[in-house]
Amino acid sequence: MTHAPPPQRSPFLGLLPWSERRAISEALRTETIGGLVLLAAAVIALVWANSPLGDVYQQVRDFHFGIPALGLDLSVGHWTADGLLAVFFLVAGIELKRELVVGELRTPATAALPVIAAVCGMAVPAALYALTAGLGGGSLDGWAVPMATDIAFALAVLAVISTHLPAALRAFLLTLAVVDDLGAILIIAVFFTADLNFWALGGAVAGLLAFYALQRFRVRGWWWYVPLGIAVWALMYNSGVHATVAGVAMGLILRATRDKGEESAPGARVSHLVHPFSAGVAVPLFALFAAGVTVSADALADVFTRPEPLGVVVGLVAGKVLGVFGGTYLAARFTRARLNPDLAWADVFGLSVLAGIGFTVALLIGELAFPGQDVTEQIKAAVLAGSVAAAGLAALFLRRRNTVYKRLYEEETLDADSDGVPDIYQRANTAEH
């Protein structure tokens, strides 16, 4: 009796399924444009804060407005961090749900490697921060600052250095960032929750249950969801749990699969509408009012001499590389995954260096870890310094392989018969049959 050979598994970082490739390409295109706007906002913030108009920057950032009766009298800086970043985490929640349901994370076999890489990429930077800050006699409160990768900033760096990174490497970077975002929101919810207002928290949970019921019974119409979403956000803010948790919770509730007769799933529709606003407006505005730190010789000296900011730099630049690359390599050996023969482990290493760019979420956690303290500005400066260092090192490593990337990119995108599907997918289908 003969047994059929086991099906061949796709190599690690091999050709993505066409449907997955299209979904990821759309998401990354928006993030790349948003990342360039983000870079511009960060530069404007630094120039503005260090110009003769620096006092005006502080006044604008600290200007309060809102509805005091609802507990929403916030500064401009807090509105961007608690309000606009909730939109960013809504998109992150939708992307995570899509990955869990139809993407790379839907089966244990495909999820194991990127999840292990992402978890190691969070744990090692946190451990190195704790080691550095502990040995220097500093505070351990900032252990979570260097844990998250900023996908928009990373993609903007790729656009600036004009590298043709293959779709599989970009998808792997996106998956790392998605898992990072989930880890970050869990950390924010568990470790950076103020005194709880259980009435407000109960109201937020009831609102999320209502949101789920609307999805469950296939209710359509923005007039149901937008007021409910705003109410959930406001209740979550007043509960003491960081308001961005509301965004990721609603993103996870939105359906990621289509019903019969639907052109797209609700999550995809919302992401298509909201993602450009998140990437092009919400995150850059947060950066504008979070990245404005004073740059001077003394300030830069503090980054590399005080234990807390030094721990952030070490976590981002060294911790991410050790965590992501080490986790990926060990997971591949453990699962016997076969690396795409067109790529090398040097490519994974370069991607791991790029993952050390931890801008948006790192700045947010820095503000939460050291609220109103003198070290807050130094932590922000450390995030900027570490992210710039990681970007520069990644550019050196990835540009060295750009000839290989360009060849693979051209093979992936060649469509000689102009039918809208790259020829490589048609050859793959022919080989399968």
Side-chain angles (χ1 to χ4, degrees):
M1 182 177 178
T2 59
H3 296 277
Q8 293 292 318
R9 288 194 300 172
S10 298
F12 170 50
L13 299 178
L15 185 67
L16 294 173
W18 177 232
S19 58
E20 180 77 358
R21 163 93 176 269
R22 284 186 299 174
I24 286 176
S25 296
E26 181 180 355
L28 293 182
R29 190 180 305 112
T30 303
E31 289 288 2
T32 301
I33 297 170
L36 294 172
V37 180
L38 172 65
L39 285 178
V43 171
I44 291 171
L46 287 169
V47 172
W48 189 3
N50 290 276
S51 73
L53 297 176
D55 290 342
V56 177
Y57 176 85
Q58 301 284 347
Q59 291 169 7
V60 172
R61 185 182 64 184
D62 297 335
F63 177 75
H64 277 246
F65 67 96
I67 309 173
L70 297 179
L72 296 175
D73 184 22
L74 310 179
S75 68
V76 170
H78 278 115
W79 274 113
T80 59
D82 293 86
L84 291 180
L85 279 195
V87 180
F88 165 79
F89 277 107
L90 169 67
V91 174
I94 293 171
E95 184 58 36
L96 177 62
K97 179 72 170 287
R98 194 196 71 81
E99 288 285 334
L100 289 169
V101 175
V102 297
E104 288 291 299
L105 304 180
R106 70 185 181 278
T107 61
T110 57
L113 206 151
V115 168
I116 291 172
V119 170
C120 292
M122 292 186 284
V124 176
L128 284 184
Y129 172 91
L131 180 64
T132 305
L135 290 176
S139 170
L140 300 182
D141 291 346
W143 61 273
V145 174
M147 291 176 64
T149 295
D150 193 305
I151 184 68
F153 202 143
L155 291 171
V157 170
L158 292 178
V160 170
I161 66 176
S162 188
T163 186
H164 299 76
L165 212 61
L169 282 172
R170 291 176 184 263
F172 186 63
L173 182 64
L174 176 62
T175 304
L176 286 175
V178 167
V179 178
D180 272 1
D181 287 339
L182 174 62
I185 203 68
L186 290 174
I187 288 166
I188 289 170
V190 174
F191 295 99
F192 298 108
T193 293
D195 295 334
L196 285 176
N197 179 329
F198 288 100
W199 288 105
L201 182 59
V205 171
L208 289 172
L209 290 174
F211 198 96
Y212 173 78
L214 291 174
Q215 282 289 285
R216 181 72 176 79
F217 292 107
R218 305 305 194 256
V219 177
R220 300 187 64 171
W222 65 266
W223 51 87
W224 293 100
Y225 293 96
V226 172
L228 180 58
I230 293 172
V232 169
W233 172 84
L235 287 164
M236 192 70 76
Y237 176 83
N238 281 286
S239 74
V241 178
H242 200 269
T244 51
V245 174
V248 79
M250 287 184 281
L252 287 170
I253 290 172
L254 286 169
R255 274 193 299 116
T257 55
R258 293 181 298 167
D259 284 340
K260 186 176 180 180
E262 282 187 319
E263 291 186 7
S264 58
R269 291 198 299 269
V270 173
S271 181
H272 181 74
L273 291 172
V274 176
H275 199 172
F277 175 80
S278 169
V281 179
V283 174
L285 278 178
F286 168 74
L288 180 64
F289 293 107
V293 297
T294 302
V295 178
S296 65
D298 290 340
L300 291 175
D302 286 339
V303 169
F304 297 100
T305 55
R306 290 198 59 172
E308 296 91 350
L310 180 59
V312 170
V313 174
V314 171
L316 287 173
V317 179
K320 274 293 184 181
V321 179
L322 292 173
V324 173
F325 182 78
T328 304
Y329 184 78
L330 291 175
R333 291 294 297 271
F334 179 74
T335 60
R336 296 182 180 179
R338 181 170 58 90
L339 181 67
N340 181 353
D342 290 321
L343 297 173
W345 282 106
D347 303 313
V348 181
F349 185 84
L351 203 70
S352 303
V353 178
L354 190 67
I357 298 172
F359 190 74
T360 305
V361 176
L363 289 174
L364 174 62
I365 294 179
E367 291 185 345
L368 296 175
F370 301 100
Q373 300 180 35
D374 292 338
V375 75
T376 306
E377 293 298 297
Q378 295 161 8
I379 293 293
K380 290 182 179 182
V383 170
L384 293 172
S387 297
V388 169
L393 290 171
L396 290 176
F397 284 111
L398 295 175
R399 284 291 296 176
R400 290 177 63 249
R401 297 273 295 168
N402 199 39
T403 302
V404 175
Y405 300 152
K406 186 175 182 179
R407 174 178 60 80
L408 293 175
Y409 178 81
E410 289 174 349
E411 290 177 0
E412 287 180 352
T413 55
L414 178 64
D415 183 16
D417 54 7
S418 302
D419 65 348
V421 179
D423 298 342
I424 193 170
Y425 287 95
Q426 294 165 336
R427 290 199 299 271
N429 290 336
T430 301
E432 288 176 2
H433 293 89

